[in-house]
Amino acid sequence: LQLLFGGLLANPSTITPVLRRLRWINPVSYAYAALIQNEFRGMEFECQPDSQCYSNGDQVIETYTMGRFSIGENVAFQILLAAVFFAAGYAMLCWKIKPKYIWI
């Protein structure tokens, strides 16, 4: 499910608008966007005259809508999401697992 909404299997602009919001809490989407930018930014491609292709890497990034944030911002969002998920997990464990008896 994370790969579907992360942009790896489907272009985020083609997903239903209601489900498209899941992209913002998905760490895979930030990692994939950073990877796409790292690989394609500044690349130039040679196209055959009779073929349909991208002439540079910025067109690829724009087509897959992965250029909204920079690589550093994507990494920062991943760290922030990890901290939020860890804090939420810790809070749920502390809330769920309370000692029933204290043996002192």
Side-chain angles (χ1 to χ4, degrees), residues 2-98:
Q2 286 187 349
L3 290 177
L4 178 65
F5 296 112
L8 183 62
L9 299 176
N11 192 349
S13 62
T14 62
I15 297 173
T16 310
V18 175
L19 297 175
R20 197 177 302 161
R21 293 186 181 128
L22 291 174
R23 176 182 179 197
W24 301 113
I25 61 168
N26 186 1
V28 174
S29 67
Y30 296 110
Y32 189 62
L35 178 71
I36 289 288
Q37 289 180 17
N38 186 42
E39 291 296 319
F40 289 110
R41 178 99 38 209
M43 287 187 77
E44 297 292 329
F45 303 115
E46 293 182 17
C47 297
Q48 301 295 328
D50 58 345
S51 68
Q52 183 179 6
C53 70
Y54 299 110
S55 62
N56 59 21
D58 292 331
Q59 289 178 348
V60 176
I61 294 170
E62 183 181 326
T63 301
Y64 289 104
T65 62
M66 294 291 172
R68 181 171 291 190
F69 302 113
S70 68
I71 296 173
E73 290 171 337
N74 283 318
V75 171
F77 285 137
Q78 283 186 311
I79 292 170
L80 178 68
L81 279 175
V84 167
F85 288 153
F86 280 127
Y90 179 74
M92 292 305 253
L93 283 173
C94 287
W95 175 72
K96 185 70 177 166
I97 303 174
K98 295 179 184 174

